[in-house]
Amino acid sequence: MEVPKLASIKTLADSASFTFVPSEYTFTKNPNEQGDANDSEHSIPIIDFALLTSGSPDQRAKVIQELRRACEEWGFFQVTNHCVAESLMQSMIDTCHRFFDLPEEEKKEFQTRNPLDPIKCGTSFNVDIEKVHFWRDFLKVIAHPEFNSLYKPAGYSEVSLEFSKRTREVATEILTGISESLGLEADYIAKAMNWDRGLQILAANYYPACPQPDKAIGLPPHTDHGLVTLLIQNETGGLEVKHKDQWVLVNAAPGAFVVNIGDQMQILTNDKYKSIWHRAVVNKKATRISIAVPHGPSLDTPALPIPELLEREGQAPKYIGMTYEKYLELQACPAALTKHFLDHLRVKHN
């Protein structure tokens, strides 16, 4: 299948004569939105993974409550003291960097339009439908329920296998904690969403330095499609979270995972835990590499508001059901760029 003929952003940024942002990449930010908020009051919460999994009953109960508040008030949090070695996280970042450094001709075999192909690389977001291109190249590899990998660069397969396994272990414990924070059995969400067959994607993003960062965007405001996403990045920041109508730059602790609630979790909790808007901004000095790892239900599983929560809260369901596979396919359509996709699933009341 022929793919869109758009040069990677790396090719463009590496050009010696490159001193401005081309018009097709010029992104106009919303002038009504407030600027960055970086004080301590606007720092995303920190969850101690060791206390969540190995603490005393009192310590664990306290962390569960902290997790509940983080999900209700932010939809984002950092996870520290987890079981994934910092050296493995760095190796994953380095290996993905080597992939983006491959000659363009060598990456062409992985270019595809299908959002659910096991391996997919490209540039921007969806060049077929977007009016403005984004300052980003990407690589997406499905790691679960079936593990897929690249044969190049050397070492990618071994590193990504270990990283995906360890990251999924952390995500599983977080999902358990979220279930308990909702007053449910620890394995309730995992069972309801067929977690053992759930989708895990390794999504690496490459954001090169930009000569006019105020005129471009790495990724525009969006929400994530799954249940929870875990993210790591190199030493260059750029993730911003919308909190109380302000964009907050996330300053992640060294070795921490940044975790956020996804759309499927918002559906399950009937808006109690919200999937929060976030974006990737670019800078003039250094390349940023991030690896986002969204974890979702099995592809044939529809998310629906949890009956026990509806009964307890005296609420009617706010969403209709849709399989996760269908949700992912529709997210690639033009409407996904102009409207929060969850709004398409909201129950319409007369």
Side-chain angles (χ1 to χ4, degrees), residues 219-268:
L219 272 178
H222 65 283
T223 62
D224 288 357
H225 48 71
L227 291 164
V228 291
T229 298
L230 280 64
L231 178 138
I232 62 173
Q233 61 185 3
N234 64 355
E235 64 280 358
T236 302
L239 172 63
E240 292 188 341
V241 176
K242 198 166 191 181
H243 180 65
K244 296 181 179 179
D245 293 323
Q246 288 185 310
W247 286 107
V248 180
L249 180 64
V250 174
N251 294 309
F257 280 107
V258 176
V259 181
N260 64 283
I261 296 299
D263 294 349
Q264 305 302 299
M265 188 68 74
Q266 181 166 338
I267 294 171
L268 285 177

Side-chain angles (χ1 to χ4, degrees), residues 11-316:
T11 298
L12 187 63
D14 287 348
S15 171
S17 60
F18 181 64
T19 59
F20 64 94
V21 172
S23 59
E24 60 266 32
Y25 287 89
T26 301
F27 182 86
T28 303
K29 297 181 176 68
N30 188 341
N32 297 321
E33 292 179 338
Q34 298 186 51
D36 300 340
N38 296 311
D39 54 72
S40 58
E41 181 184 349
H42 293 88
S43 297
I44 67 172
I46 296 176
I47 300 298
D48 190 319
F49 187 82
L51 295 181
L52 178 66
T53 57
S54 306
S56 68
D58 286 347
Q59 289 173 323
R60 191 170 189 282
K62 182 183 178 187
V63 175
I64 293 292
Q65 291 305 309
E66 292 172 350
L67 185 58
R68 177 184 59 79
R69 286 195 297 271
C71 291
E72 285 182 340
E73 298 172 8
W74 278 86
F76 267 81
F77 49 91
Q78 297 184 59
V79 172
T80 59
N81 296 328
H82 50 75
C83 58
V84 184
E86 196 168 344
S87 59
L88 176 60
M89 299 165 80
Q90 186 60 52
S91 292
M92 190 66 205
I93 291 171
D94 292 344
T95 302
C96 289
H97 200 165
R98 290 200 299 275
F99 172 82
F100 291 116
D101 280 343
L102 291 173
E104 294 304 307
E105 285 297 321
E106 293 190 35
K107 290 182 280 191
K108 278 185 178 179
E109 66 179 285
F110 305 117
Q111 294 176 352
T112 173
R113 282 191 175 96
N114 187 345
L116 286 174
D117 277 345
I119 301 174
K120 178 180 181 178
C121 77
T123 191
S124 193
F125 172 70
N126 188 335
V127 297
D128 287 336
I129 63 175
E130 62 200 20
K131 295 180 180 178
V132 175
H133 301 318
F134 309 132
W135 207 261
R136 166 236 196 190
D137 293 337
F138 66 85
L139 169 67
K140 296 181 180 180
V141 181
I142 294 178
H144 193 275
E146 293 184 7
F147 176 73
N148 296 276
S149 187
L150 305 167
Y151 65 90
K152 55 184 175 183
Y156 178 90
S157 182
E158 295 81 3
V159 172
S160 64
L161 176 61
E162 183 68 12
F163 178 77
S164 62
K165 285 182 176 180
R166 297 303 178 196
T167 303
R168 186 169 170 78
E169 290 172 0
V170 175
T172 300
E173 293 292 346
I174 291 171
L175 200 71
T176 296
I178 290 175
S179 281
E180 293 186 59
S181 77
L182 292 164
L184 302 168
E185 292 294 324
D187 60 354
Y188 185 100
I189 295 177
K191 286 183 175 179
M193 294 291 96
N194 294 306
W195 181 257
D196 59 328
R197 296 186 289 111
L199 190 69
Q200 180 194 41
I201 304 173
L202 302 181
N205 301 294
Y206 180 92
Y207 306 103
C210 177
Q212 297 173 298
D214 58 321
K215 293 186 176 182
I217 192 82
L219 272 178
H222 65 283
T223 62
D224 288 357
H225 48 71
L227 291 164
V228 291
T229 298
L230 280 64
L231 178 138
I232 62 173
Q233 61 185 3
N234 64 355
E235 64 280 358
T236 302
L239 172 63
E240 292 188 341
V241 176
K242 198 166 191 181
H243 180 65
K244 296 181 179 179
D245 293 323
Q246 288 185 310
W247 286 107
V248 180
L249 180 64
V250 174
N251 294 309
F257 280 107
V258 176
V259 181
N260 64 283
I261 296 299
D263 294 349
Q264 305 302 299
M265 188 68 74
Q266 181 166 338
I267 294 171
L268 285 177
T269 63
N270 214 41
D271 287 348
K272 184 176 181 67
Y273 293 171
K274 289 187 170 63
S275 181
I276 300 300
W277 292 95
H278 53 287
R279 67 186 184 185
V281 297
V282 292
N283 71 88
K284 197 171 185 176
K285 296 180 180 179
T287 293
R288 174 175 180 250
I289 293 178
S290 70
I291 301 173
V293 191
H295 296 76
S298 66
L299 288 174
D300 59 356
T301 299
L304 285 165
I306 296 171
E308 289 85 342
L309 297 183
L310 296 178
E311 183 177 355
R312 186 193 310 161
E313 301 290 337
Q315 294 179 341

